[in-house]
Amino acid sequence: MSRSRIVIVGAGFAGYRAARTLSRRFRGAAEIVLVNPNDYFLYLPLLPEVSAGVLEPRRVSVSLAGTLRDVRLVLGEVNGVDLASRKITYVDPEGTGGELRYDRLVLTVGSVNKLLPIPGVAEHAHGFRGMPEALYLRDHMTRQIAMAASSEDPAEADARCTFVVVGAGYTGTEVAAHGKLFTDSLAKQHRRSGNGLRGDRLPRWMLLDIAPRVLPELDERLSRTAHQVLTRRGVEVRTGMSVKEATKDGVLLDDGEFINTHSLIWCVGVRPDPLIEEMGLPSEKGRLCVDEYLQVPGHPEVYACGDAAAVPDLTRPGQYTPMTGQHAVRQGKAVAHNIAASYGYGERRPYKHNDLGFTVDLGGVQAAANPLGVPLSGPVANALTRAYHLLALPGNRVRVAADWLMDAVLPRQAVQLGLVRSWSVPLESASPELARSPGWSSGSGRASEG
């Protein structure tokens, strides 16, 4: 008799933890299959440091085959779920279609860039949800500073040295904080080479958000700390403000001001993977509705967690758990225990978790954190933030710590490889974890990060 097959779609925070917990619980007694476009788990919180040249890309990319024992990895993007036949369909990296039958299905397809109906944004902005986008931004910043330093046109140089980040949540704030330090470092390197920016000016960074303050989801004290660090560093923080239109020459703000720039970085938030809506099941703002045991009502063999699932928040009755890595990791562990319980290994239990606090890395030795509700800032918060990331990383800890040490004593490496081009990381892509190839088509697959 064949073993029962448990299929997990997506190797983000929830999917990775579910696979790891299931492999340890079953120890080969069930076939565990993980379907993901890439062969690594991406530790998203450290992605801004990749774009800023602090960490190398492989440091935040943890090998799935190297860290998940007794888990079969299938490379591919899932583009369909047949609930009646209990099977999924997918497309592998070379464009070949395939299908997998399942006895239990775990959907952890995560989220993609959130789009707003603003003219020109989809054509001229770039998001920040996957490794290709981080590598593109790293190359783009390096290239813009180099071209500005060599330009004889003052207006062109100013435009190339202007970077606009829309969205002052976790991602946007960290991208702006790290990006400012990185481009300042690049500008100083060009100055020492005798080819500095006009008037020895430093690059201009703007952080916009329609909310009344940066990090609006956090305590006001942490928001105030982040705002002070950014402004001291030279970032122009404009709250209650957003983009009205984007063009190839710049962005038009709500107040009528036009900013000449070649760099519009879109960090306004995320939306659940489009695969969820295509399933035709009850959803909440694009998130698949599940019960407190992370099961899909009417389909007890299907589970969902992470950003793609609307999980009831038992600590706040009537609400759903927020789309954070902290919840995704714990939901992945909980779903694994409940699947094991469905086979007679223990008893299922509802998901319940109180937030333990948040950390925001502001670059250098600056950070803001509130562990267990205690507000911290500066070097102490930075040390806590880095310790948290090292503990949360399922691999590569020594390499990450080594990169941090080298960044503290050595200058940033200022080279652009040109491997990820602008057209390969479109904002509207449903697959931010994959760089688009010339033969890409909209039906090739869906994202799988969550």
Side-chain angles (χ1 to χ4, degrees), residues 384-396:
L384 177 69
T385 297
R386 291 192 165 183
Y388 169 79
H389 288 318
L390 288 178
L391 288 173
L393 268 168
N396 299 344

Side-chain angles (χ1 to χ4, degrees), residues 26-258:
F26 282 94
R27 298 185 182 278
E31 182 186 8
I32 303 169
V33 182
L34 179 60
V35 187
N36 197 59
N38 299 311
D39 63 350
Y40 59 83
F41 157 74
L42 177 63
Y43 190 75
L44 276 169
L46 292 180
L47 208 54
E49 298 194 36
V50 173
S51 68
V54 177
L55 297 175
E56 288 303 310
R58 286 186 298 174
R59 305 296 187 254
V60 301
S61 308
V62 179
S63 169
L64 297 176
T67 56
L68 295 177
R69 180 176 296 182
D70 296 325
V71 175
R72 174 188 166 199
L73 174 63
V74 174
L75 291 179
E77 288 188 278
V78 172
N79 55 12
V81 179
D82 187 336
L83 297 171
S85 301
R86 294 196 179 188
K87 69 178 181 181
I88 62 168
T89 56
Y90 65 91
V91 177
D92 71 19
E94 296 184 350
T96 303
E99 64 178 42
L100 281 169
R101 296 191 177 275
Y102 61 83
D103 295 292
R104 300 288 188 278
L105 176 65
V106 185
L107 295 170
T108 61
V109 289
S111 54
V112 299
N113 292 308
K114 183 179 181 180
L115 300 177
L116 296 177
I118 298 176
V121 165
E123 294 80 13
H124 303 290
H126 292 283
F128 201 82
R129 282 296 296 167
M131 183 63 76
E133 293 170 321
L135 294 179
Y136 165 75
L137 180 58
R138 179 174 172 174
D139 271 4
H140 177 77
M141 290 188 290
T142 307
R143 183 168 54 253
Q144 294 306 307
I145 300 301
M147 294 180 72
S150 63
S151 176
E152 296 181 359
D153 182 349
E156 178 189 353
D158 287 345
R160 293 192 181 280
C161 282
T162 300
F163 301 86
V164 179
V165 181
V166 183
Y170 292 104
T171 302
T173 299
E174 291 189 342
V175 167
H178 282 280
K180 176 61 173 170
L181 288 178
F182 183 47
T183 54
D184 283 359
S185 173
L186 296 177
K188 292 174 183 177
Q189 290 181 37
H190 282 283
R191 183 182 307 163
R192 287 194 295 270
S193 71
N195 190 31
L197 301 178
R198 182 171 59 90
D200 288 338
R201 295 175 60 184
L202 291 176
R204 180 188 185 189
W205 278 78
M206 299 179 64
L207 178 61
L208 314 177
D209 201 300
I210 198 66
R213 58 187 175 91
V214 300
L215 299 172
E217 62 270 43
L218 294 187
D219 182 272
E220 286 193 23
R221 288 172 292 184
L222 296 182
S223 175
R224 188 163 54 250
T225 294
H227 190 282
Q228 291 171 349
V229 170
L230 290 169
T231 53
R232 283 199 304 266
R233 194 167 291 168
V235 177
E236 299 176 34
V237 179
R238 300 195 186 184
T239 54
M241 177 74 64
S242 190
V243 172
K244 186 176 182 179
E245 183 181 2
T247 71
K248 64 181 181 65
D249 297 316
V251 294
L252 178 65
L253 305 185
D254 288 342
D255 63 357
E257 181 182 1
F258 188 83

Side-chain angles (χ1 to χ4, degrees), residues 252-265:
L252 178 65
L253 305 185
D254 288 342
D255 63 357
E257 181 182 1
F258 188 83
I259 306 297
N260 292 299
T261 179
H262 295 281
S263 309
L264 179 57
I265 307 163

Side-chain angles (χ1 to χ4, degrees), residues 263-435:
S263 309
L264 179 57
I265 307 163
W266 196 253
C267 303
V268 298
V270 296
R271 59 191 171 100
D273 190 289
L275 176 67
I276 297 301
E277 287 190 335
E278 293 172 5
M279 293 177 62
L281 294 175
S283 61
E284 175 67 27
K285 295 182 179 179
R287 303 169 72 184
L288 184 61
C289 291
V290 297
D291 61 21
E292 66 270 27
Y293 299 101
L294 307 174
Q295 287 179 288
V296 176
H299 299 276
E301 76 284 357
V302 180
Y303 299 75
C305 54
D307 287 357
V311 180
D313 191 340
L314 299 185
T315 68
R316 301 180 301 167
Q319 300 186 46
Y320 297 100
T321 57
M323 299 164 69
T324 65
Q326 185 177 146
H327 278 288
V329 168
R330 287 163 176 80
Q331 288 170 7
K333 184 176 181 180
V335 81
H337 283 299
N338 288 342
I339 289 175
S342 73
Y343 287 100
Y345 295 86
E347 297 182 0
R348 68 174 187 165
R349 51 178 182 260
Y351 175 76
K352 184 178 182 180
H353 171 67
N354 289 295
D355 286 330
L356 300 178
F358 301 92
T359 62
V360 182
D361 188 344
L362 299 174
V365 296
Q366 298 297 322
N370 64 340
L372 301 177
V374 179
L376 299 173
S377 61
V380 173
N382 179 263
L384 177 69
T385 297
R386 291 192 165 183
Y388 169 79
H389 288 318
L390 288 178
L391 288 173
L393 268 168
N396 299 344
R397 295 188 181 99
V398 174
R399 291 184 172 92
V400 168
D403 273 6
W404 281 338
L405 177 61
M406 287 191 291
D407 181 68
V409 298
L410 297 174
R412 302 277 176 92
Q413 289 184 301
V415 295
Q416 62 99 14
L417 302 177
L419 299 178
V420 181
R421 307 305 297 176
S422 175
W423 52 263
S424 66
V425 283
L427 182 65
E428 95 296 344
S429 174
S431 306
E433 73 280 15
L434 292 175

